[in-house]
Amino acid sequence: MLKDGAYGDLSVLEFAKRKSTTQGNGPGETIPNGKKQLSIGLALGGGAARGFAHIGVLRALVRNGIKPDVIAGTSIGAVAGGLYAVNKLDEFEEWARSLTRRRIFGYLDFSLSGSGLIGGGRLASRLVEHTEGVLIEDLPLKLAAIATEIGTGHEIWLTRGRLSDALCASYALPGIFPPARIGGRWLMDGALVNPVPVSAARACGARLVIAVNLNSDNFGRGTVIQAHGSDEQDLLHPEEPPATGLRDRAERILRRQFLGTPGKPGFSTVMVEAFYVMQDRITRARLAGDPPDVSVNPKLGNIGFFDFHRAEEAVRLGEEAVERTLEPILEAMKVLS
């Protein structure tokens, strides 16, 4: 019996060889009775720490006999989809559940040089550990990791080459993680152009597309405030106790600059919030123009984008979202079969 991953205990290369000698494994391929099997695609959206919900989504789908033939993922969605494809979902979940606030900072190799505040080397090394030597074209399912090209704004679908490189490019949040150079192009986070890549899943051969939108639960965000202006509170500034020395003063300056203060957002907050405001608007527009067959919407509104220490809760919410949507998924499968 296969595990939750795409191919159980087989290695990637072993599975690829076995796949090439069998019928009916690829999306839409003919099976012995002469019919085409229903190709199922997942469009896994971005959302930083909320992406741990993808683990629960994948587990619940497989538990109910729904196994994807195609995965198109953006940012953390690409990471979850890629690790599922190489049968490392167990390791990914174990690592996610082990994260604490302190351990998270251990993975963030801050740098004031280069193209991002975080070098990303420590985090990338964990991905390489589980995907070392794996090529996307050798996977047992079709995978597309979505990225954005710097300079042109092109939407890049990474469908071949080293899996680890593709995942690093897809989650390269601008200004936070450095961009990745792949095939002569400098690439950054795919959520800038396609946060929930339904179109990519369809183009890769999926007939039934299930989208997982991690940010659908953002009630109250993105509304219009029609009457607003300045008041006297704007002139008040919270007082800080005096610095005790040169080092203390330097640390406070850096903290204010990057993390902000209780009364003023810092650089990192502004960067990330700007990114997610754009992502929210783009998601709405893209899904309106190219809606999925079924949408799975985990209730993640209370989990912040950097609440990586809340993986257990996110996984559970992902599973619950599938259970709520199971009937529409099965009905869609029946109609399209």
Side-chain angles (χ1 to χ4, degrees):
M1 180 179 294
L2 294 181
K3 297 180 180 179
D4 282 356
Y7 50 86
D9 293 325
L10 298 177
S11 70
V12 177
L13 295 180
E14 287 172 341
F15 187 90
K17 291 177 181 178
R18 185 171 300 186
K19 179 183 175 185
S20 66
T21 62
T22 58
Q23 282 189 311
N25 293 345
E29 290 182 5
T30 302
I31 54 179
N33 62 11
K35 294 183 179 180
K36 285 189 175 181
Q37 66 175 6
L38 177 63
S39 55
I40 299 174
L42 297 183
L44 303 181
R50 294 178 177 178
F52 290 145
H54 287 315
I55 299 173
V57 168
L58 287 162
R59 292 215 183 282
L61 288 174
V62 172
R63 187 167 58 243
N64 286 282
I66 304 167
K67 297 183 180 181
D69 305 287
V70 175
I71 294 180
T74 294
S75 196
I76 188 67
V79 174
L83 293 177
Y84 166 84
V86 295
N87 199 36
K88 294 297 181 181
L89 203 61
D90 287 340
E91 289 83 350
F92 185 41
E93 181 174 2
E94 182 180 358
W95 173 75
R97 290 177 180 270
S98 73
L99 291 176
T100 62
R101 292 180 186 273
R102 176 171 294 183
R103 291 197 68 182
I104 291 167
F105 278 103
Y107 284 102
L108 305 183
D109 39 350
F110 291 97
S111 173
L112 298 181
S113 62
S115 305
L117 291 178
I118 301 171
R122 295 172 189 167
L123 185 59
S125 66
R126 288 304 301 261
L127 295 178
V128 172
E129 176 186 342
H130 295 309
T131 61
E132 189 171 5
V134 177
L135 300 179
I136 297 175
E137 54 266 38
D138 289 333
L139 294 173
L141 50 76
K142 286 192 175 182
L143 178 76
I146 311 303
T148 305
E149 184 178 18
I150 295 176
T152 67
H154 291 330
E155 179 179 331
I156 306 297
W157 298 357
L158 296 165
T159 57
R160 57 184 175 84
R162 290 182 294 273
L163 176 60
S164 57
D165 291 348
L167 302 187
C168 289
S170 190
Y171 73 66
L173 184 67
I176 304 298
F177 291 105
R181 182 176 175 84
I182 299 178
R185 301 176 186 270
W186 283 102
L187 305 178
M188 56 184 172
D189 200 307
L192 286 166
V193 289
N194 202 347
V196 186
V198 173
S199 57
R202 290 197 196 283
C204 288
R207 190 176 176 203
L208 169 66
V209 176
I210 302 169
V212 184
N213 184 1
L214 303 176
N215 304 312
S216 63
D217 203 29
N218 290 336
F219 297 111
R221 293 182 66 93
T223 59
V224 176
I225 308 299
Q226 296 181 343
H228 188 68
S230 60
D231 57 34
E232 293 185 359
Q233 294 294 320
D234 298 333
L235 303 177
L236 301 178
H237 301 283
E239 295 184 1
E240 291 187 58
T244 58
L246 183 61
R247 181 175 179 178
D248 185 28
R249 186 178 304 170
E251 288 180 350
R252 289 190 183 191
I253 292 174
L254 287 174
R255 187 165 56 247
R256 285 198 300 266
Q257 182 72 19
F258 294 109
L259 301 179
T261 64
K264 181 180 179 181
F267 173 78
S268 60
T269 301
V270 172
M271 284 288 298
V272 172
E273 280 294 316
F275 178 81
Y276 285 116
V277 167
M278 290 188 294
Q279 177 179 326
D280 178 62
R281 300 300 195 278
I282 296 168
T283 299
R284 297 184 194 186
R286 295 292 302 246
L287 292 182
D290 191 7
D293 297 292
V294 184
S295 184
V296 175
N297 302 312
K299 296 185 179 299
L300 301 166
N302 292 326
I303 297 181
F305 290 110
F306 290 101
D307 287 343
F308 289 99
H309 59 288
R310 298 174 66 182
E312 181 176 357
E313 181 180 356
V315 172
R316 175 178 55 79
L317 292 172
E319 291 184 326
E320 292 176 356
V322 171
E323 296 301 330
R324 288 195 307 272
T325 321
L326 188 58
E327 186 174 344
I329 294 174
L330 295 176
E331 182 63 27
M333 292 175 64
K334 181 178 178 181
V335 171
L336 293 175
S337 295

